[in-house]
Amino acid sequence: MIQNAWLIPLLPLIGFLILGLGNKFLSKSLAGIIASATVLGSFVIAVTIFMDFINGNAQATTINLFDWINAGKMHISFSLLIDQLSLLMVLIITGVGFLIHVYSIGYMHDDEGFNRFFAYMNLFVFSMLVLVLGSNYVIMFIGWEGVGLCSYLLIGFWFKNQDYNDAAKKAFIMNRIGDLGFLLGIFLIFMTFGSTNYAEVFEGAKGIASGDTVLVAITLLLFVGAMGKSAQIPLYTWLPDAMAGPTPVSALIHAATMVTAGIYMIVRSNVLFTLAPITQTVVLFVGLSTAFFAATIGLFQNDIKKILAYSTVSQLGYMFVALGVGGYSSAMFHLTTHAFFKALLFLCAGSVIHAMSGEQDIRKMGGLKKYLPITYITFLIGTLAISGVPPFAGFFSKDEILALTIGPYSNAIFIILSFTSVLTAVYMFRVFFLTFHSTFRGTEEQKHHLHESPKTITIPLIILAILSTVGGFLGMPKIMSENHFMSKYLYPILEPSYILSKPQEGASEFAEYTIIIVAVVVLAMIILWGINRYIKKASVPPADDAQVPALRNLIYHKYYIDELYDAIIVKPFNWIGGQFNTVVESDLIDGFVNSIGKTVIWGGKTLRLVQTGAIGFYIFAMVAGIIVILIYNFIR
């Protein structure tokens, strides 16, 4: 079956071609079925191959589709690598992707661009599959750029709204900044190892000393790409604005798949990063700063999707912290559980927005529990999972990352990350209580139309809620079980790093118990605080920013980072561009080109004056010319 793995990316591509070419001819129902069925087909094939791996009937295989580039010493084949890591990513992309496709059938049913939307979605799934299945960095980069293009198309899907177009352009440009670093890293990899194939690069890296300057340069450049795609400081500001796209887009691209591409790329390159401890330290502190910074911003946001967006940025920071301390399997574990509960939360938010006729401000919601019972229960499960409440999925993966950080840098990392986890629980229960409890704060017209979403929306919510509940058992801590499935499953991929550098030991048994007990107590206190503040006291954030303290207002405005970027980057570059346009383009280049044209025109007008039509003058000019020629020849 593994030899048929090439069908995994092919099926969504076929779906895209059918939907793209038959956009105006296919009915909405047929388009939805084609788009969903092709992704489901890929998922079924991936599950079959995954079971072969689990049962020991398959091993890592490279499928060479065709030779692509042969130029001098450069030989790049278009080939797919089927191993434990790529299969895990494929299962997430196609599994969660299929549920989001089904959800989209109900959510986008009345949209005039329904068929175009599903064509973009299938193209995105295809690009993401190419990214994770490629056997070399060049193929990965093709998928990397493909998901960037699809992100632009889907964020700006409602292109008649200029703000949405601006958000799409912002995402596209900021990703290009990171992509430049990634591309330079690939160039340096080829210059150093003479190849971009993973097997050859990683084997060659083993012969290089740890901390080598070239390896540090390569990994730092690769990390710049990861910062852009996975929204880390300073390239994170595009992700919250990307919420302009339809909610299924937010769930698929900005929760479960595209933003995790940076995590996947570093785990795939684990040998290089293990041999570059300086880069690992950079990854650690960038991830820690992003996790804490984004969590504080999420505390005071009032747009339900913006809160979840900053939550995504923060959780991605968690994953980079794990990568920074060498916990590659822990990062992938949290990536997996995060895909479940964050996709669930975004889709629940879409269900709420659907019921509220497009309203996204949580201050204008409230009391939705009785109107949206399924959405309420599933959103609660997602909130419990992301907050780290046992036994939900987020508890196990976040606990594992926290345990890894005990020890490095005098436990400072552990303390900051623990406090970040507390902030996550605070803003998530804040949005939960404000949305579903107390009294309804919307308009009478909105209240009249409140109803639970159709089954195409609620069934994916239920499935994701189940996964968010049981997904954590893929990696239980040692105090509960010796069988850590995720670590054992990914061991063949990570074994070289374990050999080159002893992995972080993590917390002791006593520390594990302490973390769990303290986490449960703190979470219980946060829940009680939320009940008292938002249910009993019915507290609602003020509508007027002037009514809030200066620090809270600063955080609410996201520390004015966008305004800062505008002041120190956008406006200066616009000014420089204006000066180049005026001085260099208009005055110098256009002036030079135009002067040639003006000279020709002046010469033509002047020479025209000698064409008088008098034959006597022509004879005189001819004789004078002959005399001049004779004199010239005589003198020469």
Side-chain angles (χ1 to χ4, degrees), residues 169-234:
K169 288 188 289 185
K170 183 177 182 179
F172 192 78
I173 292 169
M174 295 199 76
N175 271 274
R176 294 294 75 71
I177 296 170
D179 294 353
L180 175 61
F182 186 31
L183 189 59
L184 292 175
I186 295 174
F187 290 159
L188 193 52
I189 285 173
F190 182 78
M191 291 174 61
T192 305
F193 300 102
S195 174
T196 60
N197 289 330
Y198 299 144
E200 296 176 22
V201 171
F202 302 153
E203 189 62 35
K206 294 175 184 177
I208 301 177
S210 177
D212 182 82
T213 305
V214 175
L215 280 183
V216 171
I218 288 172
T219 50
L220 284 174
L221 287 169
L222 294 179
F223 180 54
V224 170
M227 284 195 293
K229 198 67 72 182
S230 296
Q232 297 296 286
I233 291 175

Side-chain angles (χ1 to χ4, degrees), residues 364-561:
K364 299 176 182 178
M365 297 179 184
L368 299 182
K369 175 183 176 181
K370 62 180 179 181
Y371 301 104
L372 310 172
I374 297 176
T375 303
Y376 167 75
I377 294 171
T378 52
F379 197 100
L380 173 61
I381 291 173
T383 302
L384 293 171
I386 193 175
S387 300
V389 176
F392 297 93
F395 162 74
F396 294 101
S397 56
K398 292 175 76 173
D399 172 77
E400 187 171 310
I401 294 175
L402 287 171
L404 281 175
T405 59
I406 293 179
Y409 307 97
S410 302
N411 293 327
I413 306 298
F414 171 77
I415 294 170
I416 297 172
L417 207 60
S418 298
F419 184 63
T420 301
S421 183
V422 172
L423 296 180
T424 301
V426 170
Y427 66 68
M428 284 310 305
F429 279 104
R430 171 180 177 266
V431 68
F432 172 72
F433 288 129
L434 282 172
T435 301
F436 292 99
H437 286 273
S438 190
T439 57
F440 183 69
R441 297 180 295 274
T443 64
E444 283 298 320
E445 184 178 355
Q446 287 175 330
K447 186 175 182 179
H448 178 70
H449 290 92
L450 285 176
H451 62 280
E452 184 58 274
S453 300
K455 289 183 179 180
T456 50
I457 290 179
T458 56
I459 290 177
L461 297 185
I462 294 171
I463 296 173
L464 286 169
I466 294 171
L467 292 172
S468 299
T469 303
V470 303
F473 294 101
L474 292 171
M476 291 185 290
K478 290 182 179 180
I479 60 174
M480 295 183 181
S481 172
E482 289 294 326
N483 183 23
H484 192 293
F485 173 81
M486 188 65 71
S487 178
K488 181 180 178 181
Y489 174 73
L490 291 175
Y491 183 80
I493 308 298
L494 305 177
E495 183 181 10
S497 287
Y498 293 154
I499 295 172
L500 292 168
S501 176
K502 186 179 180 181
Q504 182 67 28
E505 288 294 332
S508 64
E509 187 174 313
F510 173 76
E512 282 277 12
Y513 277 115
T514 303
I515 292 172
I516 293 172
I517 294 170
V518 172
V520 171
V521 172
V522 172
L523 287 168
M525 293 172 62
I526 291 171
I527 293 171
L528 292 173
W529 165 83
I531 292 172
N532 180 64
R533 181 179 178 86
Y534 298 113
I535 298 179
K536 292 183 178 179
K537 294 183 179 179
S539 176
V540 180
D544 186 0
D545 295 342
Q547 298 179 19
V548 300
L551 179 59
R552 179 172 171 177
N553 196 41
L554 174 67
I555 298 174
Y556 174 76
H557 286 94
K558 299 157 285 189
Y559 298 98
Y560 295 98
I561 297 298

Side-chain angles (χ1 to χ4, degrees), residues 243-307:
M243 297 303 108
T247 301
V249 174
S250 303
L252 180 64
I253 295 182
H254 310 117
T257 53
M258 174 178 146
V259 292
T260 60
I263 310 295
Y264 165 78
M265 184 264 289
I266 292 179
V267 176
R268 174 61 74 191
S269 312
N270 64 86
V271 175
L272 303 180
F273 282 82
T274 299
L275 290 171
I278 294 174
T279 304
Q280 282 192 303
T281 303
V282 173
V283 172
L284 170 62
F285 283 101
V286 169
L288 183 68
S289 303
T290 305
F292 176 76
F293 188 75
T296 60
I297 297 177
L299 285 173
F300 302 119
Q301 297 303 305
N302 297 314
D303 184 311
I304 189 171
K305 287 177 66 176
K306 284 286 180 71
I307 296 170

Side-chain angles (χ1 to χ4, degrees), residues 323-341:
L323 296 173
V325 296
Y328 300 109
S329 65
S330 301
M332 288 304 298
F333 182 27
H334 194 52
L335 182 154
T336 304
T337 59
H338 178 263
F340 298 153
F341 60 70

